[in-house]
Amino acid sequence: MPVPHPRPLLDVRWIYAEPAALELHRGQEIVGQWPAAEIVPVASHWNIPEVHGDERNVQRWVRIKTEALVLGVKKSLVTRLNGRSADFIAPSTANGCAMACAYCYVPRRKGYSNPVTVFANIDQITKHVARNIAKQGPKTEPNQCDPDAWVYDIGENSDCSVDAMLSDNVRDLCDLFRMSPTAKASFATKYVNRDLLDWDPMGRTRIRFSLMPHETAKVTDIRTSPIAERIAAVNDFVDAGYEVHLNFSPVILTPTWDSDWAELLRQVDDVLSPAAKAQLAAEVIFLTHNEPLHEVNLGWHPKAEDLLWRPDLQEQKVSQNGAVNVRYRSGMKGQLVERFRELVAEHLPSCRIRYAF
């Protein structure tokens, strides 16, 4: 019996496009990659009834991510202060993702599905970021983001490794930072895109590979690169000129979470080269969830909610943007964070924790 081939991450059949995006060179390049795709004109990339806001799409969650692509123009170009993962959040060059992690926060805003939206006005975005870098001047005081460079997160609402499969937007930004001695690009990823190894970033792009225990990832990290593949890629990306950090996120409490993380950290310690360990740092983020997303997940992946939705362990929290989420209870969470720090110190002592919460 023939072995079935896995469904491709992207098999674009419909491109929902704003007319202004189709007029731009980047928009034309993207459409040219998928000549068989049907072009569906839309007034706004935020308002597509077939894609956003229709609860019937729960049953087509992964199919929409595979077959639909949205092409738009980023109208509000704002660089925001951050201070945790990065000094600044740069304007997004994309929104949404072809992967389907059960805890992803982006569907909380976009409705019942969140395929990739690519913004075609990359020239405006790169010019905006270049002006912001110039405005900052040299970084004179070290902080938890970086001792020397201003760090700009370029992938807040998408996964840049996947975005790079769709257009040159990510490469254009990384090329900008490559020539910016006072700043670095940064993005977290759950996908190993080895095409990025040829970009020669000269240390000005920081990739943060997200990791969690293998068995947990099998349930929650849908359509992503396997954890072992992400770990194995770290050395290659360091050798290719990237700064590579780790993103231990989200930390999800399971009955075996302590031993599972210890095993994972030992694996990382065994695999990473001395060069990778010498520049290593990590951020630790415990799970934050959301009741509307919980209800959506019950419609397409209820098994994940057995891990993510734990009212016996969680409490409500109002986030900085006003959203009501749930997190592990505050008194317990402090102990969990401290225990995680102990696990890292014991099993991956070369890893500096930049922040944990």
Side-chain angles (χ1 to χ4, degrees), residues 123-344:
D123 291 344
Q124 290 180 322
I125 294 172
T126 53
K127 288 176 182 177
H128 168 90
V129 175
R131 288 194 298 269
N132 193 276
I133 293 171
K135 178 182 176 181
Q136 306 309 319
K139 191 176 199 177
T140 57
E141 295 184 9
N143 61 14
Q144 71 175 21
C145 303
D146 193 87
D148 304 307
W150 297 111
V151 180
Y152 288 73
D153 193 316
I154 63 171
E156 181 187 31
N157 294 313
S158 65
D159 189 302
C160 289
S161 295
V162 177
D163 297 343
M165 300 166 62
L166 290 163
S167 79
D168 284 335
N169 279 1
V170 179
R171 182 160 193 173
D172 288 348
L173 271 178
C174 289
D175 283 348
L176 168 65
F177 283 94
R178 182 175 180 266
M179 305 308 293
S180 302
T182 62
K184 288 180 183 176
S186 177
F187 63 87
T189 184
K190 299 180 180 73
Y191 191 81
V192 178
N193 181 350
R194 290 188 169 271
D195 290 343
L196 276 61
L197 293 172
D198 298 326
W199 287 7
D200 189 22
M202 297 176 62
R204 309 314 297 178
T205 293
R206 173 187 294 165
I207 294 182
R208 292 142 37 222
F209 280 107
S210 296
L211 300 180
M212 68 169 59
H214 300 267
E215 294 303 315
T216 305
K218 287 179 182 178
V219 178
T220 63
D221 280 23
I222 311 302
R223 310 182 86 219
T224 63
S225 296
I227 295 295
E229 184 179 350
R230 301 181 213 174
I231 297 171
V234 171
N235 293 339
D236 294 335
F237 277 81
V238 170
D239 292 344
Y242 289 89
E243 182 180 45
V244 182
H245 287 185
L246 300 177
N247 187 357
F248 298 134
S249 169
V251 179
I252 300 169
L253 291 192
T254 68
T256 57
W257 80 275
D258 192 296
S259 59
D260 291 345
W261 274 102
E263 180 181 354
L264 176 70
L265 293 166
R266 287 193 294 268
Q267 181 183 356
V268 174
D269 190 53
D270 289 342
V271 171
L272 263 55
S273 67
K277 291 179 180 179
Q279 54 87 72
L280 190 62
E283 54 202 62
V284 181
I285 306 172
F286 277 74
L287 173 71
T288 298
H289 201 25
N290 173 281
E291 187 168 3
L293 181 58
H294 165 65
E295 295 296 331
V296 170
N297 285 349
L298 289 176
W300 77 279
H301 190 28
K303 185 178 179 181
E305 288 306 297
D306 292 340
L307 300 180
L308 302 179
W309 191 253
R310 294 291 307 276
D312 57 318
L313 302 176
Q314 294 165 328
E315 64 183 5
Q316 283 194 347
K317 172 185 181 292
V318 178
S319 64
Q320 292 178 345
N321 63 9
V324 179
N325 300 317
V326 295
R327 66 175 181 186
Y328 297 121
R329 293 176 182 169
S330 57
M332 177 181 67
K333 186 177 176 182
Q335 298 174 0
L336 295 172
V337 170
E338 184 57 33
R339 176 56 185 155
F340 198 95
R341 288 182 178 274
E342 292 172 355
L343 288 170
V344 174

Side-chain angles (χ1 to χ4, degrees), residues 92-115:
S92 300
T93 61
N95 186 300
C97 189
M99 297 180 288
C101 298
Y103 46 77
C104 179
Y105 65 85
V106 177
R108 301 177 195 172
R109 297 183 61 209
K110 294 190 72 174
Y112 286 90
S113 189
N114 64 325

Side-chain angles (χ1 to χ4, degrees), residues 34-53:
W34 309 97
E38 179 183 350
I39 309 299
V40 182
V42 295
S44 170
H45 66 86
W46 277 110
N47 185 18
I48 306 173
E50 304 97 306
V51 176
H52 303 144

